[in-house]
Amino acid sequence: IDMKEKNILGAFDWFLILGVVACNVIYSIATASSGFDVLGFTAAVAGILCVVLAAKGSIWNYAFGIVQVSLYAYIAWKSTAYGNAAVNALYYFPMQFIGWWQWSRRGAGTGTEAGNAVESRRLSWKMRAMIAAGIAVVTVALAFVLKHFGAEQPWIDSFTTVLCIAAQALMTFAFVEQWWLWIVFNVFTVIMWSVFAAEGTEHSVPTLIMYVFYLMNSVNGLVNWRRLERGDAKV
């Protein structure tokens, strides 16, 4: 079967998208007394569309990414997750535009067929070791800064912030290893938002739902990007 004849979204992708929508609608109905969380719902839907398309190697993920990171920066700031708020506003947002530019240079087209996916590649073991060491050092330093400014969960907040910075950079330049980082990031982010949800923090439940589906998608993304590989280019 010619890849260009296949639509880029499959059954599991639609399961993730519709699952986020359904869970958020059910949650809103169950908590009708507090009103429909339009902000959290919009961020969740834009976010799942972004990551599903990223897992498929579609350049259109960046269009939905612009919406998601803008809203999530505001939600995270209100929840005192200052590290996550800052990285979304100051790093994720401009990286959406850089990512679009980079992916277009690596073969990603604007069509909706699987044949328009970005050309993926891999890091060398030396680069992997350097990135891991950098994540560890910066995580410790940032955790002390966040603790000083009163962040509720400074260590998880710091770790997830540093992980997403590294993962987004690898995503921008189309490296398969990004998905290992996204998997770890999503596990710890689910833990963080579970705590916020238990405490009754505003917008926390829709955000938690979103990251549970993100975790499933990150595993799916790793599988998909291995299939997208064209050669063993390393840096």
Side-chain angles (χ1 to χ4, degrees):
I1 299 175
D2 186 347
M3 286 294 287
K4 291 186 178 180
E5 296 178 355
K6 296 175 64 178
N7 190 285
I8 199 167
L9 295 180
F12 185 71
D13 306 308
W14 283 111
F15 162 74
L16 294 175
I17 294 169
L18 297 177
V20 167
V21 173
C23 287
N24 277 275
V25 169
I26 292 171
Y27 170 74
S28 296
I29 293 174
T31 58
S33 59
S34 58
F36 185 75
D37 187 355
V38 177
L39 190 65
F41 178 79
T42 304
V45 173
I48 195 63
L49 286 170
C50 172
V51 298
V52 164
L53 290 172
K56 288 295 186 178
S58 171
I59 199 170
W60 285 108
N61 82 87
Y62 291 108
F64 292 101
I66 292 171
V67 177
Q68 194 272 337
V69 299
S70 300
L71 296 178
Y72 184 61
Y74 174 73
I75 292 171
W77 180 265
K78 289 188 65 177
S79 301
T80 73
Y82 300 128
N84 274 261
V87 80
N88 274 269
L90 304 178
Y91 178 68
Y92 266 14
F93 184 76
M95 287 295 277
Q96 305 308 305
F97 300 97
I98 297 173
W100 182 288
W101 170 57
Q102 282 292 319
W103 279 32
S104 65
R105 296 182 64 193
R106 293 197 57 80
T110 55
T112 58
E113 296 80 23
N116 287 285
V118 68
E119 180 183 351
S120 63
R121 51 183 172 172
R122 286 182 178 270
L123 292 167
S124 66
W125 280 103
K126 179 180 178 180
M127 287 299 298
R128 292 173 184 173
M130 291 174 63
I131 290 171
I135 289 173
V137 171
V138 179
T139 293
V140 174
L142 181 58
F144 283 106
V145 173
L146 294 176
K147 187 175 182 180
H148 174 75
F149 284 100
E152 188 172 330
Q153 301 180 58
W155 287 98
I156 292 182
D157 195 2
S158 174
F159 185 50
T160 55
T161 298
V162 176
L163 272 182
C164 70
I165 289 174
Q168 182 67 46
L170 294 181
M171 174 181 169
T172 299
F173 295 99
F175 287 105
V176 176
E177 287 82 1
Q178 61 159 307
W179 293 107
W180 290 110
L181 298 187
W182 286 129
I183 290 170
V184 177
F185 166 77
N186 287 322
V187 167
F188 278 89
T189 304
V190 165
I191 294 172
M192 182 176 71
W193 284 103
S194 295
V195 173
F196 284 135
E199 295 174 346
T201 304
E202 188 178 8
H203 307 302
S204 59
V205 173
T207 304
L208 173 60
I209 292 170
M210 179 178 69
Y211 276 103
V212 169
F213 280 92
Y214 276 14
L215 177 57
M216 289 188 285
N217 182 73
S218 57
V219 175
N220 186 48
L222 179 61
V223 173
N224 286 337
W225 274 56
R226 283 178 168 175
R227 293 172 181 167
L228 288 175
E229 285 185 274
R230 299 166 185 167
D232 296 313
K234 298 192 179 207
V235 296

